[in-house]
Amino acid sequence: MLKYRKGLSDMPAYDVAERDWRLKLNANEAPTSLPPLVEERVMSRLSRVAFNRYPNQEMADIIAQVASNYSLREEQIFFGNGSSEIIEKLFFAFGGSGRSIVYPEPSFSMYRIYVKTADANGVPVGLEEDYSLDREKFVRAVRESKASLAVICTPNNPTGNLISLSDIEYIAQNVDCALLVDEAYLEFAGEDASAVPLLKKYPHLIVARTFSKAYGLAAARVGYMMADASIVEMTKKAFMPYHLNVLSLVTADIVYQMRDDFQPRIYMLRDECRRVNETLKGFPGLTVYPSCTNFILLKYAKAVELNEYLTELGIGVRSFGSAPRLENCLRVSLGTREENDVWMKEVKRFIEEKG
Ligand SMILES: *Cc1c(COP(=O)(O)O)cnc(C)c1O
């Protein structure tokens, strides 16, 4: 008998049924690879990498860029293998037995799993009927569980809605544990929606960002946190040495230098989000939730059959099985205008023929 860690066999796997999709709309990735000019500079930079050396200056370079962009100190920023690693290490840093971590439900499915790997006690707080966050209820859950870490996600995955800055500030004012704001999709909502300016006022606030979504760099696995220097200093201890490889670091460094080149794509997806929402509203029996991200959440009585129909056609969308509050829901990542026309046409056909 192999003696695995206690609890590991009960832990759910991150269940993505991947295959060679004709249209891959299940992971909120960008529909196209890097802009040609960015790719050219990345390739040229990669050809100058010293492969025999551990990464050294590369993380400092990209930290300096982010620090200057947000007027933060360099000690307030740290990078990881996607914001996934940042979030996982924060759960580790504030978790452990007897510690509670509060997060909304439904939200990013990995919070539940990181709570388990951190040996902590998960306290999900149900979102309202329209998936908005009741700030009073959230604060109460944090206080009653004496939580060490509270997490909110804005715009929220998979529901697509934003948490207002005044709600975030209200929560920050009324909890004294660490408060992580996961801003994986913030670029689609616009910088005005970001909690970053609140960092100066609230030293227990942490903001997590990723290069995987708006910057289309999911393959490189790069994300970062911004927080008070003391939180960064402590959380860093949970990472292994040289955890982020130099190929990803230099690629992200150039992407960040050239981030203005991504704005047209971000605007395109924002427009598509509006157009898809408007179009789907006219489909009988389909509920469409408002979104300010690169994905859209749909609710439909025959969602399971619709998902099977799309899968058969090679169109991969995200279904949530029996996840709480997401029954009969499908999350579709937005593609190019042409791609969105393709999947919407199939949804329409399904509803007309089998709905
Ligand atoms: C995609 C996503 C992340 C993590 O992305 P990485 O690729 O690990 O940077 C974090 N939070 C939310 C809500 C996400 O949707």
Side-chain angles (χ1 to χ4, degrees):
M1 258 279 273
L2 297 176
K3 292 180 181 166
Y4 286 108
R5 186 190 175 95
K6 280 201 184 97
L8 189 63
S9 57
D10 304 328
M11 229 167 79
Y14 186 68
D15 54 342
V16 272
E18 287 308 359
R19 40 173 274 192
D20 228 348
W21 298 106
R22 180 162 71 94
L23 207 47
K24 189 175 183 308
L25 307 170
N26 60 358
N28 298 343
E29 295 146 321
T32 45
S33 193
L34 299 177
L37 269 177
V38 178
E39 186 174 318
E40 207 174 288
R41 282 201 40 205
V42 166
M43 292 307 166
S44 141
R45 177 69 186 84
L46 288 174
S47 71
R48 288 185 286 111
V49 160
F51 282 92
N52 56 324
R53 300 295 176 199
Y54 285 113
N56 179 19
Q57 184 56 33
E58 292 81 3
M59 177 147 1
D61 288 345
I62 190 164
I63 284 178
Q65 279 203 73
V66 177
S68 137
N69 187 34
Y70 290 113
S71 307
L72 297 170
R73 288 165 47 219
E74 296 176 3
E75 297 75 26
Q76 292 185 270
I77 301 159
F78 197 63
F79 274 74
N81 285 279
S83 54
S84 290
E85 189 182 31
I86 295 289
I87 298 165
E88 187 215 12
K89 298 305 187 196
L90 284 166
F91 277 43
F92 178 89
F94 289 99
S97 102
R99 293 284 168 80
S100 290
I101 299 178
V102 176
Y103 52 90
E105 188 176 82
S107 189
F108 189 38
S109 60
M110 292 306 292
Y111 299 151
R112 198 164 34 90
I113 294 173
Y114 296 144
V115 160
K116 291 224 161 75
T117 51
D119 263 334
N121 172 40
V123 182
V125 177
L127 296 178
E128 302 309 290
E129 198 54 38
D130 62 354
Y131 294 131
S132 62
L133 178 78
D134 179 337
R135 62 189 199 179
E136 307 272 357
K137 191 160 123 189
F138 191 82
V139 165
R140 221 179 307 125
V142 172
R143 290 190 173 168
E144 280 169 8
S145 65
K146 299 190 169 59
S148 52
L149 176 66
V151 185
I152 51 179
C153 181
T154 182
N156 189 44
N157 177 9
T159 59
N161 54 318
L162 207 60
I163 303 174
S164 73
L165 268 187
S166 60
D167 283 354
I168 297 174
E169 182 154 22
Y170 177 89
I171 295 167
Q173 277 168 343
N174 287 282
V175 304
D176 54 13
C177 67
L179 174 62
L180 168 63
V181 185
D182 183 348
E183 295 189 340
Y185 301 93
L186 191 276
E187 291 84 0
F188 298 107
E191 284 289 337
D192 288 351
S194 172
V196 169
L198 297 176
L199 288 170
K200 290 196 166 58
K201 224 163 133 190
Y202 301 99
H204 58 313
L205 195 65
I206 306 160
V207 175
R209 290 279 186 90
T210 179
F211 280 66
S212 300
K213 310 289 165 56
Y215 296 123
L217 211 60
R221 310 298 296 116
V222 181
Y224 59 104
M225 64 183 279
M226 293 171 275
D228 190 73
S230 66
I231 293 182
V232 171
E233 191 187 349
M234 284 295 283
T235 308
K236 262 168 135 170
K237 296 183 186 181
F239 287 82
M240 65 177 185
Y242 311 115
H243 63 291
L244 190 45
N245 74 78
V246 75
L247 306 178
S248 295
L249 278 168
V250 299
T251 303
D253 191 52
I254 287 167
V255 164
Y256 203 77
Q257 282 173 32
M258 301 181 78
R259 60 190 180 282
D260 289 348
D261 290 32
F262 289 80
Q263 276 311 319
R265 298 164 167 231
I266 292 170
Y267 291 137
M268 182 282 286
L269 286 163
R270 229 196 270 189
D271 290 346
E272 276 303 283
C273 192
R274 225 168 286 135
R275 185 181 75 92
V276 166
N277 192 304
E278 281 306 312
T279 310
L280 295 178
K281 266 185 193 158
F283 290 16
L286 198 70
T287 306
V288 196
Y289 292 91
S291 168
C292 43
T293 64
N294 64 335
F295 59 83
I296 200 150
L297 188 75
L298 314 175
K299 193 168 194 157
Y300 184 63
K302 288 189 178 172
V304 175
E305 292 88 336
L306 173 57
N307 184 38
E308 281 166 7
Y309 174 79
L310 294 173
T311 301
E312 201 100 318
L313 293 166
I315 302 174
V317 304
R318 180 87 152 93
S319 81
F320 297 94
S322 57
R325 303 284 309 283
L326 293 172
E327 298 84 5
N328 293 327
C329 285
L330 298 177
R331 188 195 65 197
V332 188
S333 312
L334 298 169
T336 61
R337 188 181 172 103
E338 294 72 29
E339 289 171 336
N340 295 330
D341 282 340
V342 168
W343 70 262
M344 285 197 294
K345 199 175 98 203
E346 295 303 341
V347 171
K348 187 163 189 237
R349 180 172 305 164
F350 180 90
I351 292 175
E352 282 169 1
E353 290 175 10
K354 310 181 182 170

